[in-house]
Amino acid sequence: MKFGKEFTSQMVPEWQEAYMNYNYLKAVLKDVLNLRKRMQTVSPKASTPRGSALKRGVSLYRAFSGLTSRQRKNPNSPLARGDDEEVVLFNSVRESGSPSGARHQTMFLKSAEEGGECELVFFKRLDDEFNKVVGFYRKKVQEVVEEADELTRQMNALIALRVKVDNPNVRSQAGASEPRLAPLEILDHVKINVAADTPVSTLKGILMISDSDLSFSKAELRKAEERMTRAFAVFYRKLRLLKSYCFLNQLAFSKIMKKYDKITSRSASKSYLKMVDGSYLGSSDEVIIIAYKRVNGLIERVEATFIKHFANGNRRKGMKILRPTTKREKHRITFLLGSFFGCWLALIAAIIVVIHARDILNSPGRYQYMDNVFRLYSLFGFIVLHMVMYAGNIYFWRRYRINYSFIFGFKQGTELGYREVLLLGFGLAILTLAGALSNLDMEMDPKTQEFQALTEIVPLALLLVVIIITFLPFNIIYRWSRFFLIRCAFHCICAPLYKVTLPDFFLADQLTSQVQSFREISFYICYYGWGDFRKRLNKCDQSTVHEYFFFTVAIIPFWFRSLQCLRRLIEERDPKHGYNSLRYLSTIVALTMRTIYERKEGVNWKIWAAITLGVATVMNTYWDIVEDWGLLQRNSKNPWLRDKLAIPNRGVYFVAMVLNVILRLGWMQTVLGFRETPFLHRTAIVAIFVSLEIIRRGIWNFFRLENEHLNNVGKYRAFKSVPLPFQHDDDQRI
């Protein structure tokens, strides 16, 4: 792999703009190379006239040193130092606006030579990149030093709390020499903040009930230790990434200067890299006290502190928490994925053959099948399609270096790759198709018709299997991911009582595209609870309870999302969240009118449904493209898009915008009259439009997270903020 690609692959995605722009400097060097080639073409070597004396070089007149004797070199001579000529000089210019107070400048001494102007441009651009890297590195080092001071204060309070709670008998443990314990007076000047974000804590905050006073309980100590463990893990990762940032940029400057020497046949790299080594970015003896000890020394100190206080002296256990193992691709996942995909294709072929061989499409019971059994199995089809779209999202997020695992807050090493998601999706698809095939086969076979009740229970059994696997407490089938999904879903249900995070409202947005799935779940209850499933009959349309439930479940996801926006409006005081809440409320009104029209019909209801659906479609389309994706910026570097794009091909964004508009029009399918056709049943048409909405949501997912990632890049936000357990009095005054 070439260094440019390796350099890009090892960058911290959110810091990528702070790294040296290696490709740009390489392009400048390419201009230097092209200029030198043109100069050689325009100025060919002059031929020596016949009969004229050959002009010899000065080195041919030096005393011969012999073939076996070793030549002694003057250590002060240019040849001994390795630089035949002096190419560059260095200077530091004080600037009040610079973060470091000084900017580095390189003086190119050969600018008067032919083609020297292009090399002068290279060194100016090189200085800009070097000053950018040093300024960013210096700023981050200062930040970690301040964080280290704060963690020190937190550790002092934690140890004092340990002494107060545990009341250790240090004399019996230490013998004659009694160690110095942490002073308990620290606890008089701190308040503890270890309460989890729960509905109870939210209600206490609304009622202004404070429970931040220390109770000196073991539970309080355990929660404080858990928060400090997370804080140390995040701080340690930040130190390691900062160390990697320094090393990669040093290596990049070395590579680009060696490339310059090779193109120009000069020897400027040695002196320039010596300057880099002596700068704040380097690791020379003069700088090591300033930067090296602040980063590398902090890493060693954090390791020792964490192992001692949070791993009970067990280094392996402590380092496993600080340095979690990176997830490796497993060959068995790829093998199983291929096997499942093959089984899926075989089952589809088998169903097609059964339908054609037994002429099911022309059988008298086909309408009953579409009204009942098809709806039962379509629930799993919607889920599988959504999982396939999410797997595609993960694939393209990884391809375009969008740090989705950081944005979602996945624990390192537990995030699912696109292969794992596809494996789960195809696994569910196999179970669904196998159930549908067995249902068709047992119904048509005279030998098994007496087991009709059993065949009708197959979809219900499949639903119960999915629910059991989802809530299974054992550490199998990606337990951490399943529980993460359950936790986010619970936060959506209790939307206004939990602090809204991106995974919570991202999941709520996914649920808004699965409205029909919620309706199918209500149909399960009605079909198996009130209907005669043995005869494949249901009385759902005649039930007032089901009618209200059918309407309610459709607006629940939008209601969750609206409450989340109101919670963010109260916390962040950003009016955009208020407008977003109104957008979801308009969608609820549109869904209400559309549902009433589906049930009662009539011209008046059709007009109201068309108006409200049209308004909701326009508002949602605008918000998708402008707010969620950040596109349609007239004055951006990329016209009508935005300044930063993850995909190089700009046409992809325009295609995505057009597709979003077209697929949004699926909302209008009910009032436009596409309710049933001679060759498609009504439930099949509904399934098609629901699938189109799920596909639109998959497209939305990619660009929504891309915009979030680029916002993090613009703010160099590579870490989640971790709440600390103790709050000092001086912090409260500040």
Side-chain angles (χ1 to χ4, degrees):
M1 183 185 292
K2 292 185 177 180
F3 175 74
K5 292 183 178 179
E6 185 178 359
F7 182 56
T8 303
S9 65
Q10 295 186 17
M11 288 180 180
V12 180
E14 289 76 15
W15 291 355
Q16 59 186 5
E17 293 186 355
Y19 284 83
M20 189 191 84
N21 196 336
Y22 181 81
N23 292 329
Y24 173 69
L25 292 177
K26 193 168 69 171
V28 176
L29 283 181
K30 190 174 182 180
D31 295 339
V32 174
L33 177 61
N34 293 335
L35 179 61
R36 283 180 167 266
K37 288 181 178 179
R38 289 196 299 269
M39 290 168 52
Q40 292 176 0
T41 304
V42 174
S43 304
K45 294 182 179 179
S47 59
T48 305
R50 183 179 298 178
S52 62
L54 180 64
K55 187 175 181 181
R56 304 179 186 275
V58 178
S59 61
L60 296 179
Y61 297 99
R62 291 176 182 168
F64 184 59
S65 58
L67 296 175
T68 58
S69 61
R70 295 185 178 180
Q71 183 181 4
R72 291 187 176 182
K73 293 184 179 180
N74 183 2
N76 296 323
S77 65
L79 288 174
R81 294 195 305 267
D83 45 351
D84 296 342
E85 55 181 350
E86 200 169 20
V87 181
V88 290
L89 292 176
F90 310 104
N91 186 27
S92 295
V93 180
R94 290 284 176 181
E95 290 185 0
S96 57
S98 177
S100 60
R103 279 182 62 86
H104 166 81
Q105 285 186 351
T106 302
M107 182 183 297
F108 180 58
L109 302 179
K110 303 296 181 180
S111 58
E113 295 182 359
E114 188 175 4
E117 297 85 357
C118 198
E119 296 180 49
L120 181 62
V121 171
F122 167 75
F123 278 104
K124 287 183 178 179
R125 300 295 177 265
L126 186 65
D127 286 346
D128 293 339
E129 295 298 318
F130 180 77
N131 290 319
K132 176 186 72 175
V133 170
V134 171
F136 180 82
Y137 182 66
R138 186 188 297 271
K139 178 183 177 182
K140 289 299 177 183
V141 169
Q142 292 174 352
E143 289 180 2
V144 297
V145 169
E146 293 175 359
E147 290 183 34
D149 293 337
E150 177 59 31
L151 285 177
T152 301
R153 300 173 66 197
Q154 295 285 325
M155 280 302 301
N156 290 332
L158 178 65
I159 295 174
L161 181 61
R162 279 180 180 171
V163 174
K164 183 70 174 179
V165 173
D166 295 340
N167 192 18
N169 188 0
V170 295
R171 287 190 176 181
S172 61
Q173 298 177 10
S177 60
E178 182 177 348
R180 182 174 62 88
L181 298 179
L184 298 180
E185 292 79 9
I186 298 176
L187 301 177
D188 297 334
H189 304 284
V190 298
K191 288 188 175 182
I192 195 166
N193 182 26
V194 295
D197 185 20
T198 62
V200 175
S201 64
T202 302
L203 293 176
K204 286 184 177 180
I206 295 175
L207 299 175
M208 298 182 180
I209 300 175
S210 176
D211 56 352
S212 59
D213 295 330
L214 288 167
S215 61
F216 307 116
S217 63
K218 288 187 177 293
E220 198 173 59
L221 175 61
R222 178 177 52 81
K223 293 178 181 179
E225 289 177 340
E226 290 175 355
R227 288 205 172 186
M228 289 299 296
T229 300
R230 291 196 297 268
F232 266 90
V234 172
F235 182 66
Y236 183 77
R237 183 169 180 267
K238 185 180 296 186
L239 292 174
R240 292 188 66 203
L241 292 182
L242 194 56
K243 181 181 178 180
S244 172
Y245 172 85
C246 176
F247 171 75
L248 284 176
N249 281 287
Q250 284 179 319
L251 188 59
F253 282 112
S254 174
K255 292 287 185 180
I256 202 69
M257 286 306 302
K258 289 179 180 178
K259 189 176 288 290
Y260 169 81
D261 284 355
K262 182 179 179 180
I263 291 175
T264 61
S265 300
R266 303 187 190 277
S267 54
S269 61
K270 185 174 181 180
S271 56
Y272 194 90
L273 294 178
K274 184 178 180 181
M275 181 277 301
V276 172
D277 196 49
S279 68
Y280 196 86
L281 193 68
S283 58
S284 66
D285 293 338
E286 293 81 5
V287 183
I288 197 169
I289 299 177
I290 302 174
Y292 180 81
K293 282 188 176 180
R294 287 189 175 181
V295 178
N296 290 35
L298 273 176
I299 290 176
E300 297 173 0
R301 183 62 176 165
V302 168
E303 289 178 358
T305 303
F306 189 86
I307 292 170
K308 176 182 177 182
H309 289 278
F310 301 102
N312 199 22
N314 189 333
R315 179 172 179 82
R316 177 178 295 183
K317 177 182 176 182
M319 295 307 297
K320 187 177 180 180
I321 299 174
L322 291 177
R323 296 187 184 183
T325 55
T326 57
K327 189 176 181 180
R328 296 181 179 180
E329 298 292 343
K330 298 178 180 179
H331 295 295
R332 69 170 178 266
I333 298 296
T334 306
F335 172 77
L336 290 174
L337 177 59
S339 301
F340 282 15
F341 181 73
C343 293
W344 176 71
L345 291 177
L347 286 170
I348 288 180
I351 290 177
I352 293 174
V353 169
V354 170
I355 292 175
H356 178 72
R358 300 184 177 180
D359 198 19
I360 295 178
L361 294 179
N362 296 322
S363 64
R366 64 184 184 274
Y367 294 109
Q368 274 188 318
Y369 186 90
M370 294 300 297
D371 287 332
N372 298 281
V373 180
F374 181 84
R375 291 188 61 181
L376 298 175
Y377 283 111
S378 64
L379 167 65
F380 305 105
F382 299 148
I383 297 175
V384 170
L385 179 59
H386 213 134
M387 294 177 73
V388 171
M389 294 301 299
Y390 180 64
N393 291 147
I394 294 176
Y395 173 80
F396 286 105
W397 286 334
R398 287 187 173 182
R399 179 177 178 180
Y400 294 105
R401 292 182 53 77
I402 296 173
N403 198 355
Y404 72 97
S405 59
F406 165 72
I407 295 174
F408 286 136
F410 294 149
K411 185 179 178 182
Q412 187 175 354
T414 61
E415 69 277 7
L416 296 182
Y418 70 94
R419 290 184 180 89
E420 288 87 351
V421 177
L422 282 177
L423 180 66
L424 294 174
F426 282 122
L428 179 58
I430 289 173
L431 293 176
T432 304
L433 293 176
L437 182 61
S438 65
N439 193 289
L440 289 172
D441 188 67
M442 295 177 72
E443 179 185 5
M444 297 300 174
D445 192 348
K447 296 180 180 179
T448 58
Q449 283 185 352
E450 59 185 17
F451 303 109
Q452 187 173 3
L454 180 63
T455 61
E456 296 298 323
I457 294 179
V458 171
L460 179 62
L462 181 58
L463 179 62
L464 294 177
V465 168
V466 172
I467 294 175
I468 291 172
I469 292 176
T470 303
F471 291 92
L472 200 64
F474 304 112
N475 191 15
I476 56 174
I477 314 178
Y478 310 113
R479 182 181 64 175
W480 193 91
S481 299
R482 290 189 285 110
F483 283 15
F484 184 86
L485 177 64
I486 294 171
R487 183 169 63 252
C488 292
F490 184 73
H491 288 180
C492 292
I493 296 173
C494 305
L497 300 179
Y498 276 100
K499 182 178 177 62
V500 182
T501 60
L502 188 140
D504 298 339
F505 70 73
F506 190 85
L507 176 61
D509 279 322
Q510 308 307 304
L511 297 180
T512 59
S513 296
Q514 288 283 0
V515 169
Q516 191 62 30
S517 296
F518 287 97
R519 286 178 167 175
E520 303 303 358
I521 293 175
S522 69
F523 180 74
Y524 265 88
I525 299 173
C526 175
Y527 184 71
Y528 287 104
W530 303 323
D532 189 356
F533 66 89
R534 295 177 180 84
K535 297 180 180 180
R536 197 170 287 175
L537 297 173
N538 71 81
K539 302 177 182 178
C540 298
D541 293 336
Q542 303 172 9
S543 173
T544 307
V545 175
H546 177 264
E547 184 174 354
Y548 285 115
F549 198 69
F550 184 85
F551 162 71
T552 304
V553 296
I555 67 173
I556 284 178
F558 298 95
W559 180 248
F560 289 160
R561 196 65 189 89
S562 178
L563 293 179
Q564 287 177 339
C565 293
L566 291 176
R567 171 70 186 255
R568 297 186 69 185
L569 174 64
I570 295 172
E571 289 184 342
E572 302 176 18
R573 306 293 182 182
D574 188 348
K576 282 187 177 181
H577 298 309
Y579 302 145
N580 201 14
S581 179
L582 291 176
R583 176 173 71 96
Y584 286 105
L585 290 176
S586 71
T587 307
I588 291 175
V589 173
L591 276 174
T592 304
M593 294 299 173
R594 177 175 135 176
T595 304
I596 294 175
Y597 170 66
E598 287 178 344
R599 297 296 180 183
K600 298 184 178 181
E601 297 187 349
V603 178
N604 292 332
W605 290 118
K606 185 174 184 178
I607 294 174
W608 280 110
I611 293 174
T612 54
L613 284 170
V615 172
T617 300
V618 172
M619 293 181 65
N620 282 289
T621 303
Y622 169 82
W623 199 273
D624 286 344
I625 298 174
V626 178
E627 298 296 336
D628 291 338
W629 294 358
L631 301 177
L632 288 183
Q633 297 181 11
R634 183 183 301 178
N635 299 322
S636 66
K637 297 178 183 178
N638 304 293
W640 296 105
L641 297 177
R642 56 172 123 80
D643 292 339
K644 300 176 184 178
L645 301 174
I647 304 176
N649 188 355
R650 293 182 294 180
V652 174
Y653 294 89
F654 292 104
V655 172
M657 287 190 285
V658 173
L659 283 176
N660 188 78
V661 174
I662 294 174
L663 295 178
R664 275 288 186 185
L665 294 178
W667 279 76
M668 306 293 290
Q669 56 89 12
T670 303
V671 295
L672 291 177
F674 300 132
R675 304 187 65 187
E676 193 163 359
T677 63
F679 54 89
L680 279 178
H681 192 269
R682 174 176 52 86
T683 55
I685 294 177
V686 172
I688 290 174
F689 281 103
V690 172
S691 300
L692 292 177
E693 167 60 19
I694 295 173
I695 293 172
R696 186 202 66 82
R697 179 60 62 184
I699 298 172
W700 179 89
N701 289 345
F702 175 83
F703 295 102
R704 176 64 183 89
L705 228 66
E706 180 212 21
N707 190 33
E708 183 71 20
H709 171 76
L710 294 176
N711 289 334
N712 291 338
V713 170
K715 300 176 182 177
Y716 303 108
R717 188 168 52 202
F719 303 95
K720 300 283 186 181
S721 59
V722 180
L724 297 174
F726 301 102
Q727 184 178 15
H728 292 75
D729 291 344
D730 52 354
D731 296 336
Q732 296 173 8
R733 287 194 294 270
I734 292 173

